[in-house]
C-alpha cells in the first residue's frame, strides 16, 4: 500500500484548483509564541474549533504551524513540534475534505504529516534548511511552498534579483531530488530578512516572478509588521492593510493568500474577481 497515497491525492486536488479562482489559505498556529495569535490555539479543542470556523468561512486550504517563525523565535525539537501538531492534524484530516498544509522546516515532521495525508509542505527555508526536505517532498508527492528567506537584512541589495537567484537555486535542488515542478508554489517571503522598501518591492514583483518561473505564487502578508510600519496599527488592527496588500498582489497575478482573516478575504477576492471578469 502507498503510505503517501492520501497526501498525493489531496495535493493533486489542491493544485487543480489553482487558477480557477483566488485561493484562501487559513493560518492555524498551534504555538504559544507566534507574533499575532500565539497562545490562542495551543489547546487542540481551540485549534479544531478555529479550523472548523475557517472552513465554514470559505477557506480553500488550512496551514498548520507548530513552531513560530517570527523574528527572534525559539527553535523547538522535532518531537515537540509533532506533539503540538498531531492532536490537531489527525482529527482534522478525518473530519474535513479541505487540503491541509504543514508549515515546517523539518523533513521528519513533514514526513509524519504526509503519511497521515497532509497535502502541502510550507517550507519557509525554501528547501535550504533541512537537506532531506526536497527528497521527502519528492517521495511523498505533496505540493510544496518554496519561500524566499534571507537570514539578515541588507538594504543595499536588489531584492528582486536576490529572489530570482534564490528561487533558481531552490528549484535546482527540487529538480535534483525529483520533485515534480507542477507541485511547486513560490512565496516572496514578505517580512523575512527584508527592509520595508524590499517588502514592498517583493510584493510588486509578484507578476515578474510568476512570468519568469511559470509557477503559482503564494502571498503571506497577514498582519505583518511592515503593514504596521505603514499604518501605525498594531497586529490585531491590520486587517484593512492586509486586504489592501493582498488585493494588490492579486492584481499582479498572485494565486494563493495565506491569511488569519478568512471570511474577509474570501469576500474581498470574490468581489474583485467579479469586477475584473465583468
Amino acid at each position: 500500500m502507498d503510505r503517501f497515497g492520501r497526501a498525493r491525492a489531496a495535493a493533486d486536488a489542491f493544485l487543480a484548483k489553482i487558477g480557477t479562482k483566488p485561493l484562501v489559505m487559513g493560518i492555524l498556529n498551534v504555538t504559544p509564541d507566534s507574533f499575532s495569535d500565539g497562545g490562542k490555539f495551543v489547546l487542540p479543542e481551540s485549534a479544531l474549533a478555529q479550523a472548523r470556523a475557517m472552513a465554514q468561512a470559505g477557506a480553500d486550504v488550512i496551514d498548520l504551524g507548530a513552531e513560530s517563525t517570527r523574528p527572534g523565535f525559539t527553535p523547538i525539537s522535532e518531537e515537540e513540534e509533532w506533539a503540538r501538531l498531531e492532536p490537531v492534524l489527525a482529527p482534522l484530516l478525518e473530519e474535513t475534505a479541505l487540503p491541509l498544509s504543514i508549515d515546517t522546516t523539518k523533513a521528519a515532521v513533514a514526513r509524519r504529516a504526509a503519511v497521515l495525508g497532509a497535502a502541502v509542505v510550507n517550507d519557509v527555508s525554501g528547501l535550504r534548511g533541512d537537506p532531506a526536505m526536497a527528497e521527502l517532498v519528492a517521495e511523498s508527492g505533496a505540493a510544496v511552498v518554496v519561500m524566499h528567506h534571507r537570514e539578515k537584512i541588507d538594504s543595499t541589495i536588489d531584492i528582486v534579483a536576490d529572489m530570482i537567484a534564490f528561487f533558481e537555486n531552490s528549484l535546482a535542488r527540487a529538480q535534483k531530488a525529483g520533485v515534480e515542478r507542477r507541485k511547486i508554489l513560490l512565496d516572496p517571503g514578505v517580512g523575512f530578512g527584508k527592509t520595508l522598501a524590499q517588502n514592498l518591492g517583493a510584493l510588486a514583483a509578484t507578476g515578474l516572478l510568476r512570468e519568469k518561473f511559470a509557477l503559482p505564487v503564494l502571498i503571506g502578508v497577514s498582519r505583518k509588521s511592515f503593514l504596521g510600519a505603514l499604518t501605525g496599527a498594531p497586529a490585531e488592527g491590520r486587517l484593512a492593510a492586509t486586504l489592501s496588500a493582498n488585493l494588490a498582489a492579486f492584481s499582479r497575478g498572485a494565486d494563493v493568500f495565506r491569511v488569519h482573516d478568512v471570511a474577509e478575504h474570501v469576500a474581498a477576492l470574490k468581489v474583485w474577481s467579479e469586477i475584473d471578469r465583468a
Side-chain angles (χ1 to χ4, degrees):
M1 181 179 177
D2 180 3
R3 60 178 174 163
F4 294 120
R6 187 175 181 183
R8 189 173 293 111
D12 287 342
F14 166 67
L15 293 166
K17 291 181 70 175
I18 294 176
T20 63
K21 66 169 189 169
L23 302 186
V24 174
M25 173 184 275
I27 298 170
L28 182 56
N29 289 318
V30 290
T31 58
D33 56 346
S34 290
F35 80 94
S36 176
D37 56 1
K40 286 187 176 180
F41 309 115
V42 172
L43 296 177
E45 309 83 62
S46 300
L48 287 166
Q50 176 66 359
R52 294 178 189 119
M54 290 192 291
Q56 183 67 29
D60 298 287
V61 54
I62 295 175
D63 188 47
L64 283 77
E67 181 177 43
S68 173
T69 54
R70 65 176 174 78
F73 77 96
T74 301
I76 61 175
S77 69
E78 169 198 331
E79 290 305 323
E80 184 174 357
E81 187 174 349
W82 185 246
R84 294 176 181 178
L85 273 176
E86 198 272 341
V88 181
L89 176 63
L92 257 187
L93 283 165
E94 294 308 314
E95 71 173 63
T96 181
L98 282 183
L100 301 183
S101 169
I102 300 300
D103 182 357
T104 186
T105 59
K106 300 180 182 70
V109 172
R111 176 180 294 278
R112 288 180 170 188
V115 167
L116 289 184
V120 184
V121 176
N122 184 7
D123 182 6
V124 301
S125 78
L127 299 180
R128 292 185 175 198
D130 188 330
M133 184 65 89
E135 287 78 8
L136 175 276
V137 171
E139 180 188 1
S140 68
V144 61
V145 179
V146 175
M147 194 191 81
H148 177 261
H149 188 154
R150 290 187 56 80
E151 293 298 327
K152 295 181 180 179
I153 292 176
D154 181 351
S155 62
T156 67
I157 65 168
D158 179 335
I159 198 65
V160 176
D162 193 78
M163 287 195 297
I164 289 172
F166 181 100
F167 286 135
E168 285 175 340
N169 179 276
S170 292
L171 291 173
R173 292 175 186 232
Q175 182 179 24
K176 183 178 180 181
V179 177
E180 294 180 74
R181 191 176 177 92
R182 71 180 183 88
K183 294 197 170 182
I184 300 172
L185 295 85
L186 303 181
D187 178 347
V190 174
F192 286 82
K194 299 174 180 67
T195 65
L196 173 59
Q198 288 170 344
N199 282 321
L200 297 174
L203 273 174
T206 297
L208 184 153
L209 292 175
R210 208 178 188 291
E211 181 178 350
K212 177 170 181 59
F213 294 105
L215 290 171
V217 173
L218 179 148
I219 299 295
V221 298
S222 189
R223 303 180 184 175
K224 287 191 173 177
S225 60
F226 85 102
L227 299 172
L230 290 171
T231 66
E236 63 273 14
R238 296 172 189 163
L239 173 58
T242 300
L243 284 165
S244 180
N246 278 325
L247 289 173
F250 182 46
S251 74
R252 288 163 171 78
D255 300 275
V256 185
F257 303 87
R258 184 177 179 273
V259 302
H260 296 88
D261 303 289
V262 170
E264 293 85 348
H265 279 84
V266 169
L269 290 163
K270 179 177 177 58
V271 171
W272 185 288
S273 297
E274 292 298 329
I275 292 170
D276 201 45
R277 187 176 295 114

